[in-house]
Amino acid sequence: MSLLRRRKVPENEIQSDVEPTVDAEEDYKKSKKRIKEGKKQKWSCIDSCCWFVGCICCVWWILLFLYNAMPASFPQYVTEAITGPLPDPPGVKLRKEGLKAKHPVVFIPGIVTCGLELWEGHQCAEGLFRKRLWGGTFGEVYKRPLCWVDHMTLDNETGMDPPGIRVRPVSGLVAADYFAPGYFVWAVLIANLARIGYEEKSMYMAAYDWRLSFQNTEVRDQTLSRIKSNIELMVATSGKKAVIVPHSMGVVYFLHFMKWVEAPAPMGGGGGPDWCAKHIKAVMNIGGPLLGVPKSIAGLFSAEARDIAVARALAPGVLDTDLFHFQTLEHLMKMSRTWDATMSMIPRGGETIWGDLDWSPEEGYSPCKSKSRDDAALISGHQENQTPESKAKYYRYGRMISFGKDAAEAYPSDLKRIDFRDAVKGSSVGNNTCDVWNEYQEMGVSGTKAVEEYKVYTAGEIVDLLYFVAPKMMARGSAHFSYGIADDLDDPKYSHYKYWSNPLETKLPNAPDMEIYSMYGVGIETERAYVYKRTPTAGCNIPFQIDCSADEEDEDSCLKAGVYTADGDETVPALSAGFMCAKGWRGKTRFNPSGVKTYIREYYHAPPANLLEGRGTQSGAHVDIMGNFALIEDIMRVAAGGTSEDLGGDRVYSDIFKWSEKINLRL
Amino acid sequence: MAAILRFRKLCFLEPVKSFEKPKNDEKQSFEQHPEIERVLEKPKSKKTKKQPKEWRCLDSCCWLIGYLCTSWWLLLFLCNFLPGLRVPEAPGVRLKRDGLTALHPVVLVPGIVTGGLELWEGRPCSEGLFRKRLWGGSFTEIFKRPLCWLEHLSLDNETGLDPPGIRVRAVPGLVAADYFAPGYFVWAVLIENLAKIGYEQKNMYMAAYDWRLSFQNTEIRDQALSRLKSKIELMYVTNGYKKVVVVPHSMGVIYFLHFLKWVEAPPPVGGGGGPDWCAKHIKAIMNIGPAFLGVPKTVANILSAEGRDVAFVRAIAPGLLDSETFGFQTLQHIMRVCRTWDSVVSLLPRGGETIWGDLNRSPEVENICYTSKARYLQSSSKESNGNDTDARRSFHVKELPRYGRIVSFGKEKSELPSSQLSIIDSKEFVREEGASRNSNTSCGEILSEYDEMSRKSIKKVAENDAYTARTALDLLRFVAPKMMKRAEAHFSHGIADDLDDPKYAHYKYWSNPLETKLPDAPDMEIYCSYGVGIPTERSYVYKLSSSDKCKSIPLQIDSSAYGSDNGCLKGGVHFVDGDESVPVVSAGFMCAKGWRGKTRFNPSGISTYVREYQHKAPASILEGRGMESGAHVDIMGNVALIEDVLRVAAGATGAELGGDRIYSDIMKMSERINIRL
């Protein structure tokens, strides 16, 4: 029917187009031609468009139908046909062994992985009520980028909601089971736990707004109170202590929680001094940046990391162009600098932990190239031989930021440094033409120059540097976080909440039966230190960049595109994840007065053998480790009532104990 | 790109009609130039010749689909970008301008059926459905693997808990019941409006529970009541010691009534909150569409797995539902599954003949069928209304249906005076039951308990002409002995003589408002908010089904029974005023009379309010399900109701809302119910 109608159209079109005027002849010939062409074109073009669309739709539907009709186990058959039989997922395996759900499990997601949804927004966010702004498909980033940035940004002064905007964490297991469709975070672990009988009532996802500082999550959302109440409820209804599984930043967050819950009421949770002993069986930290992440410095300093530096090296100029009137990096920086939580990841412990100008714990031991598993096992045997050779190379990881490759390698005595702290910041550039305001514009040229002239920054100096380049952010953040090492832990000042998330400035709770596990991947190059340069152009851009031309010629080099890498899980260096459990808390120390038992569980990274395996079942990468079968098995054993003996105590592949020995920290 | 093309085409499609007439003139002008005409026609004829070759059936199909798709997209596109089609201002926005802000934490308690259920452990046939919704959402699994789906949704026939190897759990959080299916809101509108005045996750909680279980079992299996208690306490503390406003809907109302008793009862059976827990934590309970005294619909549901809608389908296409052509007996399967759900029993009419009427009388004085049309015409002058109804009553005195007969066999039986009815003492066929159970093994797998009954005993059931609310329970005990035995350990449907009798401390009485006292919380407020003005099922005319085959349900609603033209009997169902599911008596009686003032059911004198919302069907399709609807679920989008909830949540009291708001005859009906208070 519509086909017929459609066919008529051009005819009518012709007649309406053609006006019977006097000087018809010429016009007609012209119009005739045009009509002929037009007619053919319209016919062919629009109709074939329709036809094409129809075809695609049909094919799509058929595929969809087939996909839906396909038995759910089909992909597995294919995989097994190609790669041979897969091992049983740990849930099935352990169920056969007779493991049953016992202790309630609490998940604490890390930074970035937890979804955020909109509860109140500006006009531009209409229709997004209770839709995810963070996590999910990120569709809105493309549709209305500026609006999105606007809503994700927090208030610059208070670090809380800007007026008229409420973005809140998604609650429940859905908050962080999948980060984006198909990209699992907790889903695999949840599915495996469910196999041995876990369900909603015995699992709890402690979702929190990861943009806020830890204490502010309590002030604004009462998140800590909710976690406390939920743990109490689960412990009361099941009669068993809870097993806590924090991931990434969640580890630091939970450290904060443990101090908060025992602190007296208005500031703390008022749970009393034995709350943790009563309610917590084990804390199983996954990839925990207990001592911070060097990556976060690059993020705060110039809103970039290795990936961006690589992108810049490949296509110089794309990221910096003003072509689209959209300064991606500047926007990103402005947004992420309002997130207090990023400051919780700044390396803690200063030079004692991370090394100074000519010393760092990892040097001499750290092979940057990922070694094979056999090598890893034999490492202790080969140690003596390797040491002198590596010494020659002498990577100075302690210099976390250095300006220019030369500065990164020079001997300490050769460095000429001009202190930047007293440098006068140049008057602001004065042109308010920049779309995106950031604090660099207040520094002026002389300020940035002063920063460059100091040449080299160690972990301790980095904090000063950030105070210099981002005073507002650090002023806000220093009220919530601290990065030092306590001399005297009994000093009453340490009862302030800003110290709670720093393992080097707090004591663990008095819970001798509790167990703390540090579980992390090793065997992946992880960012550890950076070589920077000052960008030539002034103005609205960020004045510092990772110097991606800084490359070592040597194949085995740890320096690539301006980034020194060390062993770790791609995000967190093994040092940060493992030190506290390897040394800081081992036995009865001043940080661990009651002698909470600690264990290190390392998982050697093995990339997935082929594409079908997805993200692999033996991965050690920061997020992918959540799908690591060995790790899942460990968690399930503990959740089902096992102790460290059932797991086999420590499991170490890296040189974490050797590094720890070198760190000279009073315990 | 395609959209733009389509747009262009629309533009030149428009003038087609207007040029239809001048066609001839133009043709003439064309004829003046025959050569041109010929040239013009040439390609046309070529085209038409080519046509059948090029455009085969498949191509035109593709073309058609493409055409439809593109126009659909275009419409969608336009729809998204036209600002004019937006709905009028939401009540939340208006109230925010009036200065309302979030004050009291809000707890939402969903009703039966509306809460989502997801799979946590299942049989091999359900592979890949882990943590996917079995109930709620798109229901695609019903079509893909219907038997598997039914198997997972049914509970254990003996215990009323999970069958071994299957764990289906309630979806937690606000997502549990904000939308039932995509686009079909339940709580979403209310949540959105609450958010407008400042509510968010921390002061709003959806008390999702597994609505298939009996109420006490939700605590035993999932600790749902403990969670609810802990959440209310938490919200009370974290929101500056502000009491909670509870908004239950439908069955959630009696679930929360159960909770009120549970929380104050001592452990291990109760929550151990102490006798002043409610007074301390709850400001108001805003019951929406409350099914306090039960819903007659459930009787039909348990008896024959059908409601008005099913009976209607059967009338249109007799045999379709009963045919065995597909080897799939839908109704029987549904019945088998439903009968494992204990919670259904909680919705059976409570209070027996005292509330629902006996063989002769019933509290409904006049009813919707006579008045609903007239009511819109009459401007609310009460006097004329009274006169009219008086007059009408005298006219229709003979036809006044006897609603008290909840189930009657045959239309005549539903109308005869009671003296002419043959009523068998219900106990008699209970005795019969033991003898009549013959092992009817020829039918193979037993689907429902009907298969275990002999034809004779079913006939016996039908010999009893009419059942009242009380005897209907006996009837159900007879036809579904297992289910009733299981469920009656959890629910009771009577009226208490002496509320201080220690037996009433048992949890099976907690959800029956006629067998419990309200908690001692004089500052608390209870609202009964429900829609009126929609015909609601009240009693049924049944018949024995003709087919003698095994595995078929032997009782059916007699859909051929119609009353005289204006009558309330339609398709075997008598209607009264209500919200399409719950009759007014059930929803309003407790607030209108049972708990009004200090009664024995309400010893502390909690103030109660009746808030009725007159149903108005949506004016056009664009309005969706209407903003003034009174239907059982659609009322959750009713602007007036939302405004009431928001005001109370922001701190208003019942008096500030304007007290009672009544359209129906609930007060008159309540007066006619003779119950000791």
Side-chain angles (χ1 to χ4, degrees):
Chain A
M1 184 50 218
S2 45
L3 193 70
L4 284 174
R5 187 153 47 95
R6 184 67 204 80
R7 213 182 286 158
K8 248 186 210 162
V9 173
E11 196 180 335
N12 292 326
E13 170 79 353
I14 296 157
Q15 284 155 3
S16 61
D17 260 13
V18 183
E19 286 172 44
T21 41
V22 198
D23 51 343
E25 196 75 43
E26 279 285 294
D27 277 356
Y28 273 141
K29 274 190 179 164
K30 265 187 200 163
S31 63
K32 177 186 67 192
K33 258 188 188 168
R34 203 182 68 219
I35 291 157
K36 247 200 288 180
E37 286 163 12
K39 192 172 146 192
K40 258 192 177 168
Q41 258 179 9
K42 262 172 226 149
W43 241 117
S44 53
C45 178
I46 294 176
D47 286 339
S48 45
C49 263
C50 280
W51 180 85
F52 184 65
V53 171
C55 264
I56 288 180
C57 283
C58 284
V59 171
W60 179 245
W61 287 333
I62 289 170
L63 284 178
L64 253 187
F65 177 78
L66 285 178
Y67 177 77
N68 277 322
M70 179 180 78
S73 51
F74 186 69
Q76 207 189 329
Y77 287 134
V78 175
T79 325
E80 281 186 3
I82 295 173
T83 61
L86 292 174
D88 264 350
V92 177
K93 182 181 148 201
L94 295 179
R95 192 185 181 164
K96 279 181 202 151
E97 286 180 23
L99 260 65
K100 280 226 174 63
K102 192 170 172 197
H103 297 275
V105 175
V106 177
F107 306 118
I108 301 182
I111 196 167
V112 170
T113 47
C114 180
L116 299 174
E117 59 187 14
L118 184 77
W119 278 82
E120 186 183 338
H122 291 312
Q123 200 86 51
C124 68
E126 211 185 295
L128 294 182
F129 175 68
R130 285 185 59 219
K131 297 270 187 312
R132 285 198 184 194
L133 287 187
W134 188 270
T137 53
F138 284 99
E140 296 311 317
V141 181
Y142 306 106
K143 276 202 227 159
R144 22 192 160 175
L146 283 176
C147 182
W148 184 81
V149 168
D150 215 27
H151 282 80
M152 287 298 295
T153 310
L154 292 171
D155 191 283
N156 204 10
E157 302 287 333
T158 59
M160 304 281 252
D161 288 329
I165 291 179
R166 282 185 293 151
V167 175
R168 296 286 179 269
V170 179
S171 69
L173 292 179
V174 282
D177 55 350
Y178 289 94
F179 176 60
Y183 189 87
F184 71 83
V185 182
W186 293 90
V188 180
L189 182 58
I190 291 171
N192 278 300
L193 282 169
R195 298 252 188 192
I196 62 166
Y198 278 92
E199 53 195 67
E200 201 77 46
K201 68 172 175 186
S202 44
M203 278 193 281
Y204 171 62
M205 177 76 75
Y208 58 98
D209 190 334
W210 45 263
R211 300 172 303 159
L212 297 184
S213 79
F214 302 157
Q215 193 65 14
N216 276 345
T217 62
E218 170 66 12
V219 172
R220 197 192 72 181
D221 298 337
Q222 285 87 45
T223 311
L224 297 173
S225 300
R226 280 151 164 260
I227 297 175
K228 177 177 173 240
S229 150
N230 265 303
I231 292 180
E232 282 170 356
L233 172 69
M234 290 202 299
V235 169
T237 52
S238 71
K240 299 276 187 314
K241 290 189 209 173
V243 171
I244 317 288
V245 188
H247 173 234
S248 181
M249 192 178 80
V251 171
V252 197
Y253 188 72
F254 192 72
L255 204 64
H256 185 93
F257 172 82
M258 282 198 289
K259 295 303 287 181
W260 172 87
V261 75
E262 299 200 337
M267 196 159 64
D274 58 347
W275 194 94
C276 291
K278 261 198 222 154
H279 292 90
I280 300 174
K281 171 188 154 64
V283 183
M284 311 197 71
N285 300 320
I286 303 176
L290 279 167
L291 300 178
V293 185
K295 217 179 190 175
S296 68
I297 300 168
L300 289 172
F301 192 55
S302 63
E304 60 191 345
R306 187 169 47 157
D307 25 7
I308 288 182
V310 169
R312 183 173 282 141
L314 289 178
V318 173
L319 283 168
D320 312 304
T321 50
D322 276 323
L323 261 182
F324 306 106
H325 291 283
F326 189 69
Q327 298 159 296
T328 321
L329 281 185
E330 282 75 7
H331 274 290
L332 271 182
M333 176 177 225
K334 193 186 162 202
M335 178 170 76
S336 59
R337 277 201 179 174
T338 64
W339 297 346
D340 286 346
T342 50
M343 280 176 278
S344 73
M345 317 272 269
I346 293 173
R348 301 167 200 278
E351 281 134 35
T352 318
I353 302 289
W354 297 95
D356 59 17
L357 289 181
D358 53 0
W359 171 87
S360 73
E362 288 114 320
E363 70 197 22
Y365 288 114
S366 178
C368 321
K369 293 289 279 181
S370 29
K371 51 199 171 180
S372 73
R373 192 187 290 265
D374 307 331
D375 289 351
L378 294 173
I379 191 104
S380 44
H382 284 283
Q383 207 58 68
E384 259 61 49
N385 311 342
Q386 276 186 351
T387 317
E389 185 197 344
S390 320
K391 268 233 167 89
K393 270 184 198 157
Y394 205 174
Y395 300 116
R396 293 177 181 85
Y397 288 124
R399 302 174 185 183
M400 287 197 131
I401 287 183
S402 38
F403 279 89
K405 197 181 152 195
D406 304 333
E409 288 171 354
Y411 282 96
S413 50
D414 297 344
L415 280 172
K416 278 182 201 145
R417 306 207 292 172
I418 304 164
D419 202 355
F420 64 96
R421 291 180 186 87
D422 305 323
V424 186
K425 289 186 185 181
S427 55
S428 77
V429 188
N431 60 343
N432 290 328
T433 49
C434 298
D435 306 342
V436 194
W437 178 90
N438 65 46
E439 286 176 299
Y440 278 124
Q441 279 139 42
E442 280 186 3
M443 279 172 57
V445 182
S446 58
T448 55
K449 218 169 206 148
V451 167
E452 192 194 6
E453 255 145 36
Y454 195 59
K455 301 274 190 212
V456 170
Y457 297 86
T458 62
E461 287 160 340
I462 285 232
V463 179
D464 295 332
L465 171 66
L466 288 174
Y467 267 112
F468 185 73
V469 299
K472 261 200 188 148
M473 175 185 82
M474 290 304 285
R476 217 174 55 229
S478 63
H480 289 281
F481 299 107
S482 162
Y483 313 103
I485 299 178
D487 287 328
D488 176 16
L489 279 165
D490 293 322
D491 192 328
K493 78 167 183 175
Y494 287 117
S495 63
H496 190 270
Y497 60 77
K498 79 175 188 179
Y499 299 105
W500 287 347
S501 56
N502 184 354
L504 298 173
E505 288 177 310
T506 48
K507 294 182 212 171
L508 283 182
N510 180 26
D513 295 337
M514 203 167 90
E515 290 174 334
I516 296 183
Y517 295 83
S518 250
M519 317 166 86
Y520 53 91
V522 291
I524 310 183
E525 294 172 34
T526 308
E527 295 166 54
R528 177 68 170 78
Y530 298 90
V531 177
Y532 262 88
K533 68 173 183 202
R534 198 153 65 94
T535 51
T537 55
C540 302
N541 292 328
I542 298 169
F544 303 108
Q545 275 183 7
I546 293 176
D547 183 5
C548 41
S549 64
D551 243 324
E552 201 92 14
E553 286 77 25
D554 188 356
E555 284 240 324
D556 289 342
S557 136
C558 288
L559 177 62
K560 263 181 205 152
V563 182
Y564 282 103
T565 55
D567 198 5
D569 69 356
E570 204 166 19
T571 302
V572 182
L575 181 70
S576 171
F579 173 72
M580 286 317 287
C581 280
K583 189 172 177 197
W585 288 332
R586 196 47 61 109
K588 274 198 188 186
T589 68
R590 64 188 181 113
F591 302 112
N592 180 11
S594 65
V596 174
K597 286 186 238 32
T598 60
Y599 302 95
I600 288 190
R601 305 284 296 171
E602 289 185 348
Y603 303 91
Y604 201 82
H605 175 72
N610 54 38
L611 270 179
L612 281 171
E613 268 188 38
R615 288 154 66 201
T617 57
Q618 294 179 301
S619 175
H622 191 59
V623 176
D624 293 355
I625 200 174
M626 310 286 283
N628 187 312
F629 278 4
L631 174 114
I632 292 174
E633 199 182 315
D634 284 353
I635 292 175
M636 290 174 73
R637 282 192 193 280
V638 172
T643 58
S644 51
E645 281 89 59
D646 298 326
L647 301 187
D650 288 340
R651 161 180 161 145
V652 179
Y653 295 99
S654 72
D655 300 316
I656 179 73
F657 282 111
K658 294 223 167 64
W659 300 336
S660 304
E661 257 170 51
K662 290 179 89 179
I663 292 175
N664 182 21
L665 180 71
R666 188 167 59 82
L667 294 176
Chain B
M1 189 53 210
I4 295 166
L5 280 175
R6 291 286 319 143
F7 198 85
R8 217 200 290 152
K9 202 164 90 190
L10 272 189
C11 292
F12 68 72
L13 261 171
E14 266 317 299
V16 171
K17 282 171 206 155
S18 50
F19 279 104
E20 211 110 42
K21 269 188 184 170
K23 218 191 242 176
N24 294 332
D25 308 342
E26 282 181 31
K27 269 222 170 117
Q28 281 168 9
S29 67
F30 264 90
E31 274 158 21
Q32 288 168 2
H33 309 275
E35 312 145 39
I36 299 167
E37 172 83 317
R38 217 180 304 133
V39 177
L40 262 175
E41 254 170 16
K42 236 184 185 171
K44 224 193 284 168
S45 54
K46 253 189 205 165
K47 259 253 144 98
T48 42
K49 264 184 207 165
K50 265 189 193 169
Q51 210 85 135
K53 261 192 221 165
E54 278 181 0
W55 292 81
R56 277 166 309 153
C57 175
L58 195 69
D59 291 324
S60 355
C61 272
C62 280
W63 181 85
L64 189 70
I65 289 165
Y67 184 82
L68 289 176
C69 281
T70 27
S71 29
W72 176 247
W73 289 331
L74 189 73
L75 282 177
L76 261 185
F77 180 79
L78 285 177
C79 216
N80 274 327
F81 282 82
L82 277 185
L85 283 176
R86 292 271 165 243
V87 273
E89 193 180 50
V93 179
R94 184 158 41 84
L95 292 175
K96 190 186 179 184
R97 225 182 296 123
D98 292 351
L100 261 66
T101 47
L103 187 69
H104 296 279
V106 172
V107 174
L108 312 173
V109 187
I112 198 168
V113 171
T114 46
L117 300 174
E118 60 187 13
L119 184 77
W120 278 84
E121 185 184 341
R123 302 269 155 78
C125 70
S126 68
E127 209 185 305
L129 292 181
F130 176 68
R131 284 184 60 219
K132 297 269 187 314
R133 284 198 182 195
L134 288 187
W135 188 270
S138 53
F139 284 102
T140 43
E141 295 309 318
I142 301 185
F143 306 108
K144 278 205 229 161
R145 24 193 158 175
L147 283 175
C148 182
W149 184 79
L150 281 173
E151 189 188 349
H152 282 83
L153 272 182
S154 57
L155 294 169
D156 191 280
N157 206 8
E158 302 288 332
T159 60
L161 292 169
D162 287 327
I166 292 179
R167 282 185 292 150
V168 174
R169 296 287 179 266
V171 178
L174 291 178
V175 282
D178 56 348
Y179 289 93
F180 176 59
Y184 188 85
F185 72 83
V186 182
W187 293 92
V189 180
L190 183 60
I191 291 171
E192 188 162 357
N193 280 297
L194 282 168
K196 289 260 159 59
I197 63 166
Y199 280 92
E200 53 195 68
Q201 297 265 16
K202 69 172 174 187
N203 45 16
M204 185 158 48
Y205 175 66
M206 175 81 74
Y209 56 98
D210 189 337
W211 46 262
R212 302 169 304 159
L213 298 182
S214 80
F215 302 157
Q216 193 66 15
N217 275 345
T218 63
E219 169 66 12
I220 290 169
R221 198 193 70 182
D222 298 336
Q223 284 86 44
L225 297 174
S226 299
R227 280 154 165 259
L228 179 55
K229 175 176 173 243
S230 146
K231 276 278 147 51
I232 290 180
E233 284 168 353
L234 172 69
M235 291 203 297
Y236 173 69
V237 172
T238 53
N239 288 289
Y241 298 95
K242 290 278 179 306
K243 289 188 203 172
V244 171
V245 172
V246 184
V247 188
H249 173 232
S250 183
M251 192 180 80
V253 169
I254 39 180
Y255 184 74
F256 196 73
L257 202 64
H258 186 92
F259 173 79
L260 288 182
K261 297 302 289 181
W262 173 87
V263 75
E264 300 202 336
V269 183
D276 60 345
W277 194 92
C278 296
K280 209 175 135 196
H281 290 95
I282 298 176
K283 169 188 152 66
I285 304 175
M286 306 204 69
N287 303 308
I288 301 177
F292 277 125
L293 300 178
V295 184
K297 225 177 187 175
T298 45
V299 178
N301 208 321
I302 297 176
L303 209 54
S304 62
E306 58 191 347
R308 181 175 44 158
D309 23 9
V310 173
F312 184 68
V313 169
R314 183 173 279 140
I316 291 175
L320 178 70
L321 282 169
D322 312 303
S323 66
E324 279 186 83
T325 39
F326 305 107
F328 189 72
Q329 297 156 300
T330 322
L331 280 185
Q332 283 79 346
H333 278 289
I334 291 174
M335 179 177 216
R336 186 173 53 98
V337 172
C338 286
R339 281 195 181 177
T340 65
W341 297 345
D342 284 346
S343 61
V344 176
V345 176
S346 77
L347 291 172
L348 287 176
R350 297 167 197 276
E353 283 152 19
T354 318
I355 301 289
W356 296 94
D358 54 22
L359 291 175
N360 292 320
R361 44 140 245 126
S362 69
E364 280 90 349
V365 187
E366 75 235 44
N367 61 68
I368 182 121
C369 325
Y370 304 119
T371 54
S372 62
K373 280 174 199 159
R375 190 178 283 142
Y376 294 116
L377 305 175
Q378 292 159 0
S379 52
S380 60
S381 72
K382 258 197 172 172
E383 284 168 45
S384 68
N385 196 351
N387 293 338
D388 280 0
T389 49
D390 280 347
R392 208 176 295 111
R393 208 182 303 158
S394 59
F395 275 122
H396 291 282
V397 124
K398 273 179 195 165
E399 282 185 38
L400 192 70
R402 296 185 164 83
Y403 291 118
R405 302 169 186 180
I406 284 195
V407 172
S408 45
F409 283 90
K411 187 186 157 196
E412 305 81 42
K413 308 287 168 55
S414 72
E415 285 162 3
L416 281 176
S418 61
S419 52
Q420 297 171 32
L421 288 174
S422 72
I423 298 292
I424 308 165
D425 187 9
S426 52
K427 271 166 198 148
E428 206 167 302
F429 51 71
V430 174
R431 241 184 292 123
E432 184 90 0
E433 186 238 1
S436 67
R437 179 172 298 184
N438 66 339
S439 47
N440 199 351
T441 45
S442 59
C443 283
E445 183 200 10
I446 289 169
L447 278 181
S448 68
E449 287 173 305
Y450 279 124
D451 296 341
E452 294 173 13
M453 288 165 61
S454 70
R455 194 72 196 162
K456 202 181 96 204
S457 59
I458 290 165
K459 283 224 174 76
K460 186 95 176 170
V461 165
E463 271 166 31
N464 190 1
D465 289 333
Y467 295 88
T468 64
R470 182 177 56 82
T471 52
L473 282 177
D474 292 329
L475 170 64
L476 293 178
R477 275 177 210 130
F478 177 61
V479 299
K482 257 194 196 158
M483 171 197 197
M484 292 301 281
K485 197 175 150 228
R486 202 180 61 232
E488 291 206 311
H490 289 279
F491 298 108
S492 163
H493 298 91
I495 299 179
D497 288 328
D498 176 15
L499 280 165
D500 294 322
D501 192 327
K503 77 165 182 177
Y504 288 116
H506 191 271
Y507 61 77
K508 78 174 189 180
Y509 299 104
W510 287 347
S511 57
N512 184 352
L514 297 173
E515 288 178 308
T516 48
K517 294 183 210 170
L518 285 181
D520 179 25
D523 295 337
M524 205 165 90
E525 290 174 331
I526 295 181
Y527 296 82
C528 288
S529 317
Y530 52 90
V532 293
I534 309 182
T536 307
E537 294 167 57
R538 174 69 166 79
S539 61
Y540 299 89
V541 178
Y542 262 86
K543 66 173 181 195
L544 283 176
S545 74
S546 45
S547 77
D548 229 346
K549 280 173 271 175
C550 51
K551 284 190 191 174
S552 67
I553 298 170
L555 302 173
Q556 275 183 5
I557 292 177
D558 182 5
S559 44
S560 64
Y562 272 87
S564 54
D565 32 58
N566 251 345
C568 277
L569 180 61
K570 266 180 207 153
V573 184
H574 285 285
F575 292 100
V576 292
D577 198 1
D579 69 356
E580 205 165 17
S581 288
V582 184
V584 168
V585 185
S586 173
F589 173 72
M590 289 317 289
C591 286
K593 190 176 177 193
W595 287 333
R596 200 36 69 101
K598 275 197 188 187
T599 68
R600 65 191 181 109
F601 301 112
N602 179 10
S604 63
I606 294 170
S607 37
T608 60
Y609 301 95
V610 176
R611 305 281 297 171
E612 291 184 345
Y613 303 91
Q614 179 71 49
H615 175 70
K616 235 186 244 171
S620 64
I621 298 178
L622 279 178
E623 267 187 45
R625 287 154 67 201
M627 297 168 55
E628 290 173 279
S629 174
H632 193 57
V633 175
D634 295 355
I635 198 173
M636 309 287 281
N638 187 309
V639 175
L641 174 89
I642 290 173
E643 194 180 321
D644 284 354
V645 174
L646 259 59
R647 278 191 194 284
V648 171
T653 61
E656 282 164 34
L657 288 187
D660 288 344
R661 160 184 160 141
I662 295 178
Y663 295 98
S664 73
D665 303 312
I666 179 67
M667 288 303 182
K668 259 187 236 164
M669 286 182 217
S670 308
E671 260 168 48
R672 287 171 58 114
I673 291 174
N674 183 21
I675 189 169
R676 189 167 56 82
L677 294 175

